[in-house]
C-alpha cells in the first residue's frame, strides 16, 4: 500500500475541527453581556478558571439553594426556525424559577453551550438571551463553558444546560409545612407553552403542516403567528414573587413545568392535603386550545404535559389572598384565584380540576 503523502503534514487543532480563535472571540463578545448582569457579591466572573461570589452579608444564616436544567426539545424549534435569541431566557428561567419556589434569591448563573462547530453569531445570540434572563432574575452571569466538539452535533445545532445558585435565610425557607385546608390557590399566568412539552408540540405541528419552519408556522392566533407564540420565552417570576416569599406571606409555591399542574402542585402540599381547582377560573391561552384540537389531545393528557396557562401556583392564607393578588397584579403579573386546599380524601386525586 502506498504511503499517504500527507501523513507527515503538520496538523493543528483547527484541522481537527476545533477553532481556538473563534472560542476566544466568543469570550470577548460575552464579557460585555456578562457585565450587564453584575450585582453585589461578584468578586470574579467571566475569564477565570472559577467564578468567585460572596454571599451578601445581610443574610444571617444563609442557606444556598441550587438548580440545574436545560431547554429540552424546544431547541429543535429554534433550529427549525433559525431563532436563537430567546432560548437563553428559557434556560435561565427553568432554573431560577425552581429555586425561587423555596424562597431563594437567585445570586448567580453559569451556562454550558456545546456544539459541533462554533458559529459566533449564533452563539452570541444564545448567550445574549442568557444574559437577558439573568437581568430579569436579578442574578449575575459569572461563568460558563463553551465546548466545540466536532462530529458530536449536526451543523448549526447545539445543546444548552444551566446552573443557578440562590440563597435563602434558614428561617425563611418555604417548604409548604404551614399549608392547611382552607388556604387559597393563586395561579400566575404563564407566557405560553414555556419550555415543556415540545416533543408533543412538534408532533402536533408535523401532523398539521407536515414540516416545521418559519414558512409553515405563519398561521395566526389572536393576531400572532404560531412561530412567535411558540418561541415566546418562559416567564421569570423572581421580581414579583421574591418579596412576598421572603416575608413569609406565601406558604408554598409550585413551578408548573413538566408534569403540568397535576404533577407539580402535589410536590408542595403536605401529607393530608389536596387541591381543588376550578378550570373556568383562569384563562387558558389560545395556543393550548389549538394544540388540544389539532392533536386530538385528551384533557387529562393536556393537564399532565403542559402548564395550560399557569406558570406558578402560590398557596396563601385566605385572609391575605386578595391583598397578595393585588400586589402581584401591581407588579405586572396576571393572577387568578383558582381554588383551595382541601383535606385529602383516600382514593381521590391529590389535584382535582373540575370543569
Amino acid at each position: 500500500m502506498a504511503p499517504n503523502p500527507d501523513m507527515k503534514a503538520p496538523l493543528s487543532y483547527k484541522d481537527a475541527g476545533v477553532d481556538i480563535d473563534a472560542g476566544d472571540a466568543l469570550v470577548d463578545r460575552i464579557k460585555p453581556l456578562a457585565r450587564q448582569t453584575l450585582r453585589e457579591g461578584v468578586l470574579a466572573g467571566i475569564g477565570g478558571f472559577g467564578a468567585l461570589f460572596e454571599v451578601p452579608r445581610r443574610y444571617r444564616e444563609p442557606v444556598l439553594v441550587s438548580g440545574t436544567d436545560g431547554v429540552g426539545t424546544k431547541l429543535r424549534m429554534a433550529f427549525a426556525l433559525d431563532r436563537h435569541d430567546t432560548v437563553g431566557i428559557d434556560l435561565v428561567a427553568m432554573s431560577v424559577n425552581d429555586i425561587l419556589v423555596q424562597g431563594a434569591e437567585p445570586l448567580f448563573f453559569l451556562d454550558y453551550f456545546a456544539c459541533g462547530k462554533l458559529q459566533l453569531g449564533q452563539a452570541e445570540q444564545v448567550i445574549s438571551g442568557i444574559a437577558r434572563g439573568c437581568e430579569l432574575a436579578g442574578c449575575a452571569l459569572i461563568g460558563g463553558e463553551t465546548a466545540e466538539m466536532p462530529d458530536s452535533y449536526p451543523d448549526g445545532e447545539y445543546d444548552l444546560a444551566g446552573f443557578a445558585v440562590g440563597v435563602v435565610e434558614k428561617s425563611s425557607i418555604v417548604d409548604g409545612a404551614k399549608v392547611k385546608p382552607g388556604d387559597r390557590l393563586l395561579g400566575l399566568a404563564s407566557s405560553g407553552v414555556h419550555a415543556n412539552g415540545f416533543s408533543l408540540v412538534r408532533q402536533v405541528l408535523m401532523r398539521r403542516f407536515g414540516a416545521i419552519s418559519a414558512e409553515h408556522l405563519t398561521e395566526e392566533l389572536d393576531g400572532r403567528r404560531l412561530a412567535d407564540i411558540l418561541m415566546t420565552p418562559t416567564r421569570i417570576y423572581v421580581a414579583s414573587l421574591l418579596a412576598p416569599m421572603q416575608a413569609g406571606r406565601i406558604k408554598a409555591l409550585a413551578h408548573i413545568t413538566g408534569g403540568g399542574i397535576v404533577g407539580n402542585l402535589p410536590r408542595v402540599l403536605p401529607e393530608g392535603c389536596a387541591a381543588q381547582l376550578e378550570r373556568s377560573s383562569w384563562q387558558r391561552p389560545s395556543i393550548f386550545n389549538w394544540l388540544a384540537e389539532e392533536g386530538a389531545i385528551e384533557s387529562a393528557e393536556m393537564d399532565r404535559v403542559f402548564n395550560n396557562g399557569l406558570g406558578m401556583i402560590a398557596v396563601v392564607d385566605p385572609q391575605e389572598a386578595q391583598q397578595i393578588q393585588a400586589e402581584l397584579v401591581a407588579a405586572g403579573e396576571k393572577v387568578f384565584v383558582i381554588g383551595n386546599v382541601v383535606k385529602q380524601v383516600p382514593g381521590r386525586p391529590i389535584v382535582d380540576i373540575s370543569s
Side-chain angles (χ1 to χ4, degrees):
M1 182 176 180
N4 186 335
D6 295 326
M7 284 296 287
K8 297 299 183 180
L11 291 174
S12 68
Y13 211 5
K14 190 171 184 178
D15 293 327
V18 180
D19 190 339
I20 295 175
D21 292 333
D24 290 342
L26 180 61
V27 172
D28 289 338
R29 295 190 186 191
I30 291 171
K31 285 181 178 178
L33 300 174
R35 279 196 293 269
Q36 295 173 15
T37 72
L38 291 180
R39 52 157 293 158
E40 62 168 333
V42 177
L43 300 181
I46 300 292
F49 286 96
L52 302 178
F53 194 97
E54 182 179 37
V55 175
R57 295 181 181 181
R58 65 178 181 275
Y59 286 92
R60 295 165 300 179
E61 293 184 286
V63 175
L64 297 180
V65 184
S66 60
T68 186
D69 211 333
V71 184
T73 56
K74 189 171 186 177
L75 288 182
R76 306 303 311 173
M77 294 289 298
F79 304 149
L81 300 174
D82 194 23
R83 294 177 59 164
H84 310 282
D85 56 335
T86 59
V87 289
I89 300 176
D90 285 298
L91 182 68
V92 176
M94 299 307 288
S95 288
V96 298
N97 284 343
D98 272 354
I99 65 175
L100 173 66
V101 160
Q102 292 175 287
E105 172 191 0
L107 296 176
F108 60 84
F109 189 86
L110 297 96
D111 71 278
Y112 176 77
F113 178 94
C115 61
K117 182 175 178 56
L118 185 60
Q119 298 180 12
L120 280 176
Q122 180 193 69
E124 185 178 14
Q125 286 183 55
V126 173
I127 296 172
S128 69
I130 294 173
R132 177 56 181 156
C134 287
E135 289 184 81
L136 293 171
C139 64
L141 176 60
I142 60 173
E145 171 68 11
T146 301
E148 190 174 19
M149 301 185 290
D151 306 321
S152 296
Y153 297 90
D155 288 345
E157 297 190 6
Y158 53 84
D159 198 10
L160 284 176
F163 184 93
V165 173
V167 63
V168 61
E169 200 72 69
K170 189 173 183 179
S171 60
S172 299
I173 295 173
V174 179
D175 59 7
K178 297 179 180 179
V179 171
K180 62 183 180 181
D183 286 339
R184 290 281 189 276
L185 300 173
L186 300 181
L188 281 70
S190 67
S191 57
V193 183
H194 284 185
N196 294 106
F198 271 85
S199 294
L200 181 54
V201 168
R202 289 168 49 241
Q203 287 295 310
V204 174
L205 295 177
M206 290 299 295
R207 174 184 288 188
R208 174 68 175 81
F209 301 110
I212 301 174
S213 69
E215 290 72 27
H216 288 90
L217 304 188
T218 56
E219 185 174 324
E220 293 190 356
L221 294 176
D222 300 328
R224 298 179 64 206
R225 296 185 307 165
L226 277 174
D228 297 329
I229 294 171
L230 291 171
M231 291 306 294
T232 299
T234 304
R235 186 165 182 80
I236 293 175
Y237 297 92
V238 175
S240 55
L241 280 171
L242 186 58
M245 292 285 285
Q246 291 181 327
R249 300 173 64 207
I250 293 178
K251 295 185 176 184
L253 185 67
H255 183 199
I256 310 304
T257 56
I261 296 170
V262 296
N264 288 285
L265 187 52
R267 298 168 65 182
V268 301
L269 297 177
E271 187 175 352
C273 286
Q276 179 68 56
L277 281 65
E278 179 63 45
R279 196 180 299 276
S280 62
S281 63
W282 76 89
Q283 299 172 4
R284 188 166 85 160
S286 298
I287 185 60
F288 296 108
N289 299 327
W290 186 90
L291 289 168
E293 181 177 346
E294 293 293 336
I297 306 171
E298 296 181 352
S299 180
E301 186 72 357
M302 291 291 296
D303 286 341
R304 69 175 190 159
V305 174
F306 300 112
N307 66 61
N308 278 331
L310 299 178
M312 285 280 191
I313 296 179
V315 183
V316 301
D317 187 287
Q319 295 182 344
E320 280 208 89
Q322 187 173 4
Q323 180 61 33
I324 292 175
Q325 181 184 21
E327 291 174 9
L328 292 175
V329 169
E333 303 293 347
K334 184 179 291 186
V335 186
F336 310 95
V337 179
I338 61 172
N340 300 284
V341 176
V342 297
K343 184 177 180 180
Q344 187 176 359
V345 177
R348 296 283 298 170
I350 296 179
V351 176
D352 185 13
I353 307 177
S354 62
S355 300

